[in-house]
Amino acid sequence: MGETFAVEARDAVKVYGTGVNAITALDHVSVTVSRGEFFTLLGPSGCGKTTLLRCIAGFETPTSGAILLSGQDITEEPPYRRPVNTVFQSYALFPHLTVARNIGFGLEMMGKPKAEIAETVARMLALVRLEEFAARLPQQLSGGQQQRVALARALAPKPQVLLLDEPLSALDLKLRKEMQGELKRLQLETGITFVFVTHDQEEALTMSDRIGVMRAGKLQQVGTPRDIYDRPANRYVADFIGETNFLTGVVEGGAVRLGSGDLVRAALGGQTGTVTLAVRPEQIRVVATNAPGAIPARITGKVYFGTDTHYHFALVDGTEVVARLQSRAQGEDDLPKGVEVGLQFEDSSVQVLGP
Amino acid sequence: MGIGTEEGRKKHQARSGWLLSLPALVLLLVGASGPLVIVAVYSFLKPGEYSGVQWIFSLEAWFKVLLEKDIFDGTISLADAHLAIFWRSAKLSLLTTAVTLVLGLPTAWFIATRPARSRALWLFLITIPFWTNLLIRTFAIMEVIRNEGILNTALLALGLIETPIQILYSGTAVLIGMTYVYLPLMVLPLFAAIDRFDFRLIEAGYDLYASRWQVLRRVILPIIRPGIVAGSILVFVPSLGAYVTPRVLGGGKNMMIGNFIELQFGQGRNWPLGASLSMVLLLIVVVALLIYVRTAPQEDRHD
């Protein structure tokens, strides 16, 4: 059989409702998560990522297919018999219990001896740096602190897999950045497999070992952040992750003839006919109009972002292209609107997608 | 100048506020505190010959609440009959509270978990009995449980029993009646508590290895406890002084405090004893409310 995965979904289908009202939340999803991996399910709301998470946690049972944990089929097991813990989006801390009792709840329910619970709770409080808050009630803490309690509570029973359901979405930007680092640190320190659900592509790119991009109940692409960003499997993934220019053209020999008449070299995998090229804005160079291979374009607008400037161009047929140029000292790159320039695409950066 | 008028306006507002609440204050004073003072004063007087009171200070009534003097040898002993009545009333009230709690909790849970639209309908159905006079409702129960009533007729027709079950004029009949009358008072505060309950906490409990029973005992019940306490007080307090239901369904065989007090003001012609018994009843209620007040701060911390 080879490697046993920490988590595996085998052809999981989840349908809510029946007949004409039926909604397919999971559409034949198969995915594996390795031990100790930080795996992120990424997608817009309603794409099925949370449903998949809830199937792993045991709050939902797949309509068909199986969920495996360390190679064992747990599809029919109730949540309280799965060595899996969840960090809820709303934290779901018990309001009637102190921080320490919240963190110890899982161990208490497992029937662990008091001394062991106290010892683990103290260790968890130290891990999330909340030692002085042990006796507080959850509502006496700030959002970020509650978040850390929720984390400690889920980590205390040493689950095989930690599930995180958009745990950072309720926090403000600064705190979110802080918690991203904190989460990554906790994952490395504990070595526990994390399955993280988010709709924030930046969060996914910065934290994950691998990402699964979902859309309408289907897994679109699974890969490392680099894979997903540099080699998106389809137009949807390319569009969802980062900004992308989409250019339509027709295959002509080893290159693609754009609507503007310009020829662009691309790594074609045997595609013919009409294709879509995806080019990231930061992988476009602005050159002189007479440079070799330059595509003539006119600057139609620009937006200054501090570290870089987004230039908007129009090709000769009016196709819009956006390029991101790093700001240089003293505005030597400051190109005025209306100027004719040449654009060069880095060969390896041009991705060929379906039509 | 500006500040002066501002202060003047505030003073004026405060004064008109007092004036506006004056009718309510007068009503409260005359309607609630007044009678209470009369009852308290009467409990320290001698009974009148036929009824009413003689304006002579006496502790006799208070003495009689718990103790009795043998008419022949003058020895003092505990008034067993009175104690039995208190005990019976307390037992019945506690039992009523327990039964309404056991029935009310699933009912309130059911209503709180309905979609918002049908929830209003269910709540409306729960409050319908309040629209009917208590006496009529009690007689309705009588019609259900009497020997020739709906229940016995149905059981006889089904062949489950051969002779009617004697329920009416028993402790069971009173308990059934009290449960029916006070159930809404239990369901409504329980509903309010469950309605505020964050159901996601149940998932959190399951996720942290708590079984169904543990989730109920360790998560749900502690959090909705304010509702349980409020409902219990709302049922326990009036059922302790219940008068109509025990009288009609108990057939006067098993006297409750309420009936006993009524007896003192009527045939017993001992108004001071009735007054002192009323004060004792009030005392029990106050103790029950104190228990409630002691648990109430927890509710505040939850919000």
Side-chain angles (χ1 to χ4, degrees):
Chain A
M1 274 302 288
E3 186 189 3
T4 55
F5 297 101
V7 185
E8 185 177 354
R10 274 193 196 154
D11 203 28
V13 175
K14 179 72 190 178
V15 182
Y16 291 106
T18 49
V20 284
N21 296 319
I23 296 163
T24 307
L26 287 182
D27 195 355
H28 300 280
V29 172
S30 292
V31 67
T32 55
V33 180
S34 300
R35 209 153 299 202
E37 194 175 25
F38 196 122
F39 187 86
T40 299
L41 286 166
L42 175 67
S45 58
C47 72
K49 57 191 193 301
T50 296
T51 306
L52 182 54
L53 197 78
R54 290 174 61 81
C55 284
I56 300 171
F59 303 135
E60 309 277 359
T61 311
T63 313
S64 70
I67 304 290
L68 284 80
L69 202 73
S70 300
Q72 263 187 311
D73 190 335
I74 53 155
T75 315
E76 300 296 329
E77 288 283 303
Y80 51 86
R81 283 206 214 106
R82 298 180 182 207
V84 166
N85 290 125
T86 309
V87 177
F88 295 88
Q89 188 173 8
S90 59
Y91 314 149
L93 298 176
F94 301 120
H96 60 299
L97 300 178
T98 61
V99 166
R101 292 287 303 278
N102 259 287
I103 295 173
F105 191 88
L107 296 166
E108 218 180 301
M109 292 301 114
M110 290 164 102
K112 297 277 185 212
K114 275 215 169 79
E116 190 190 326
I117 297 174
E119 195 259 321
T120 309
V121 168
R123 203 150 37 77
M124 285 300 141
L125 281 167
L127 191 67
V128 296
R129 304 184 185 120
L130 283 173
E131 291 99 327
E132 62 271 44
F133 297 99
R136 300 267 188 101
L137 287 172
Q139 58 269 42
Q140 295 168 313
L141 303 181
S142 70
Q145 290 166 337
Q146 289 186 25
Q147 172 66 76
R148 301 221 291 275
V149 176
L151 258 170
R153 184 179 70 172
L155 284 171
K158 286 201 201 79
Q160 286 184 23
V161 178
L162 187 74
L163 307 174
L164 302 105
D165 185 10
E166 307 216 18
L168 307 180
S169 61
L171 303 176
D172 61 54
L173 187 68
K174 193 169 171 294
L175 209 52
R176 195 154 65 219
K177 295 270 177 223
E178 240 175 80
M179 282 306 297
Q180 283 177 13
E182 186 100 356
L183 272 179
K184 194 70 204 167
R185 175 181 71 87
L186 285 173
Q187 199 254 336
L188 291 173
E189 272 178 41
T190 56
I192 291 172
T193 310
F194 276 33
V195 178
F196 184 87
V197 158
T198 185
H199 62 264
D200 184 333
Q201 45 123 342
E202 193 196 313
E203 216 165 82
L205 289 174
T206 54
M207 298 167 75
S208 321
D209 294 323
R210 281 193 311 146
I211 299 172
V213 184
M214 287 190 77
R215 177 203 191 184
K218 284 198 175 93
L219 213 46
Q220 302 290 307
Q221 185 177 4
V222 179
T224 63
R226 260 230 109 85
D227 280 341
I228 302 267
Y229 191 83
D230 289 345
R231 286 175 293 281
N234 54 40
R235 188 178 174 132
Y236 175 79
V237 175
D239 200 23
F240 191 75
I241 312 235
E243 286 166 72
T244 307
N245 294 295
F246 293 108
L247 304 165
T248 316
V250 182
V251 177
E252 210 179 285
V256 176
R257 174 84 61 193
L258 299 182
S260 59
D262 301 293
L263 209 57
V264 175
R265 276 192 293 156
L268 286 161
Q271 291 103 323
T272 53
T274 307
V275 292
T276 301
L277 299 181
V279 186
R280 297 288 186 190
E282 69 274 16
Q283 287 162 335
I284 297 174
R285 278 194 306 270
V286 179
V287 294
T289 37
N290 56 6
I295 300 165
R298 190 170 43 78
I299 298 176
T300 57
K302 62 180 179 182
V303 185
Y304 179 66
F305 279 89
T307 55
D308 48 29
T309 306
H310 291 196
Y311 282 91
H312 293 251
F313 301 95
L315 303 187
V316 289
D317 65 335
T319 308
E320 204 181 304
V321 174
V322 179
R324 187 154 69 208
L325 301 182
Q326 236 171 50
S327 304
R328 298 207 183 87
Q330 301 304 321
E332 63 187 61
D333 57 331
D334 204 7
L335 300 164
K337 222 169 121 174
V339 167
E340 300 283 342
V341 293
L343 300 180
Q344 271 182 347
F345 303 152
E346 291 168 31
D347 290 351
S348 62
S349 71
V350 179
Q351 292 297 308
V352 185
L353 309 171
Chain B
M1 179 66 194
I3 293 164
T5 47
E6 175 70 10
E7 269 177 11
R9 205 171 55 80
K10 271 194 184 153
K11 262 187 199 163
H12 178 74
Q13 264 187 349
R15 202 171 334 122
S16 57
W18 268 102
L19 277 173
L20 279 173
S21 57
L22 200 61
L25 284 174
V26 168
L27 203 67
L28 211 63
L29 216 65
V30 176
S33 313
L36 203 62
V37 171
I38 295 174
V39 173
V41 171
Y42 274 20
S43 72
F44 290 104
L45 298 176
K46 271 183 177 297
E49 215 162 311
Y50 297 103
S51 66
V53 287
Q54 299 175 51
W55 286 89
I56 303 162
F57 177 79
S58 163
L59 286 174
E60 201 187 306
W62 282 96
F63 175 81
K64 272 193 177 167
V65 169
L66 289 178
L67 303 170
E68 62 186 357
K69 198 188 255 178
D70 195 293
I71 31 172
F72 298 110
D73 57 12
T75 51
I76 293 165
S77 58
L78 278 174
D80 293 338
H82 295 185
L83 287 178
I85 290 169
F86 273 115
W87 171 234
R88 193 182 298 131
S89 296
K91 206 169 63 179
L92 178 72
S93 305
L94 285 173
L95 217 56
T96 306
T97 311
V99 173
T100 49
L101 183 61
V102 168
L103 293 177
L105 199 57
T107 311
W109 189 272
F110 173 81
I111 298 172
T113 50
R114 289 313 96 189
R117 238 170 346 117
S118 55
R119 200 184 304 172
L121 178 71
W122 287 107
L123 281 176
F124 170 72
L125 289 176
I126 288 287
T127 51
I128 276 188
F130 287 133
W131 300 24
T132 318
N133 183 285
L134 173 62
L135 200 58
I136 293 170
R137 275 187 283 156
T138 310
F139 276 109
I141 280 284
M142 202 170 173
E143 180 54 36
V144 173
I145 60 175
R146 72 193 172 94
N147 284 7
E148 299 80 26
I150 298 165
L151 186 67
N152 273 316
T153 314
L155 288 177
L156 281 170
L158 287 170
L160 291 172
I161 51 169
E162 293 188 349
T163 48
I165 310 169
Q166 177 65 43
I167 303 172
L168 197 58
Y169 307 132
S170 70
T172 314
V174 180
L175 184 62
I176 291 173
M178 299 268 274
T179 302
Y180 165 62
V181 168
Y182 293 120
L183 190 59
L185 295 179
M186 180 62 89
V187 170
L188 293 178
L190 279 178
F191 166 77
I194 296 170
D195 194 39
R196 276 185 302 167
F197 180 76
D198 181 356
F199 286 88
R200 289 171 296 196
L201 294 177
I202 296 176
E203 280 190 352
Y206 282 145
D207 190 59
L208 293 161
Y209 313 106
S211 62
R212 283 169 170 275
W213 166 245
Q214 282 172 318
V215 166
L216 177 69
R217 211 171 57 83
R218 304 294 297 274
V219 179
I220 300 170
L221 290 182
I223 295 176
I224 64 167
R225 196 171 73 148
I228 295 173
V229 174
S232 300
I233 295 282
L234 280 179
V235 171
F236 181 77
V237 169
S239 56
L240 196 60
Y243 163 71
V244 172
T245 312
R247 175 77 176 261
V248 174
L249 297 177
K253 276 192 298 186
N254 298 314
M255 206 172 269
M256 302 293 156
I257 306 178
N259 310 108
F260 190 52
I261 291 170
E262 186 258 354
L263 189 70
Q264 303 312 318
F265 285 99
Q267 294 146 285
R269 277 182 284 174
N270 192 343
W271 287 24
L273 181 59
S276 54
L277 285 168
S278 304
M279 295 308 285
V280 171
L281 183 61
L282 187 67
L283 218 64
I284 297 173
V285 169
V286 166
V287 169
L289 285 174
L290 280 177
I291 294 171
Y292 172 63
V293 169
R294 281 177 67 103
T295 49
Q298 285 225 326
E299 181 181 24
D300 293 339
R301 277 195 279 155
H302 285 162
D303 290 332

